[in-house]
Amino acid sequence: MKILVVNGPNLNLLGSRERDIYGGQTLADVQEKLQELADTLGCQLFFFQSNHEGELLDEIHSRRTMVDGILINPGAFTHYSYALRDGIAAVNLPCVEIHISNVHARESFRRESVLAPVCLGQISGFGLHSYLLGLRALVTSISETSYS
């Protein structure tokens, strides 16, 4: 099983940005922990991060026939990127949306996700563990369901 792990804007600054909200772990730390879990689950991961909406879309589009699902932390694009929402819908792959912080306990604008309707589910508020929980949920869902 092959999974595309997509990280949106500002996630390249994990470990140094707003540590009280996002913690001290870097994106490299996140990827390392995800890879360890992927090895135990028997899946291959492809990592991609960009601060640019179009680059995220290009990566999702280009991998659409190479992967079985998408794990995405869209960052601020969560709340307004209809292009990203439509891109996820267009590739017809199971997708899990994840967030490090509890978006529902923060500013009101963070409580709405335009991506959620085209995702299997959303996991937020568990720090790095949101990624691990999301990967487990995605792999389990793909294993139990046929998405052809």
Side-chain angles (χ1 to χ4, degrees), residues 2-148:
K2 297 177 181 179
I3 305 295
L4 175 61
V5 180
V6 177
N7 282 283
N10 301 310
L11 291 162
N12 57 306
L13 297 178
L14 284 178
S16 64
R17 74 179 277 231
E18 300 170 285
R19 293 173 63 113
D20 56 320
I21 296 172
Y22 300 106
Q25 295 176 313
T26 66
L27 187 57
D29 296 332
V30 170
Q31 291 174 347
E32 181 182 332
K33 292 295 184 190
L34 273 173
Q35 189 59 60
E36 288 173 9
L37 177 58
D39 292 344
T40 67
L41 296 174
C43 60
Q44 182 179 3
L45 302 180
F46 300 93
F47 296 105
F48 185 77
Q49 188 279 327
S50 179
N51 294 317
H52 305 280
E53 185 178 37
E55 289 181 3
L56 296 172
L57 284 165
D58 289 344
E59 182 69 11
I60 290 168
H61 291 176
S62 71
R63 296 274 186 184
R64 73 184 181 278
T65 60
M66 299 177 225
V67 299
D68 302 296
I70 302 168
L71 182 67
I72 186 167
N73 183 341
F77 290 139
T78 302
H79 318 294
Y80 66 88
S81 179
Y82 294 106
L84 195 53
R85 180 244 179 255
D86 290 348
I88 290 169
V91 298
N92 196 34
L93 290 168
C95 182
V96 172
E97 176 186 336
I98 65 100
H99 299 281
I100 294 168
S101 68
N102 180 352
V103 294
H104 302 286
R106 297 184 61 197
E107 303 92 341
S108 60
F109 74 87
R110 295 188 193 278
R111 295 179 191 146
E112 182 176 347
S113 168
V114 298
L115 278 66
V118 296
C119 292
L120 296 174
Q122 180 190 77
I123 298 171
S124 71
F126 296 98
L128 166 74
H129 297 290
S130 291
Y131 284 90
L132 303 175
L133 292 166
L135 181 59
R136 283 185 186 280
L138 182 58
V139 168
T140 298
S141 183
I142 293 169
S143 297
E144 294 175 350
T145 309
S146 173
Y147 286 93
S148 7

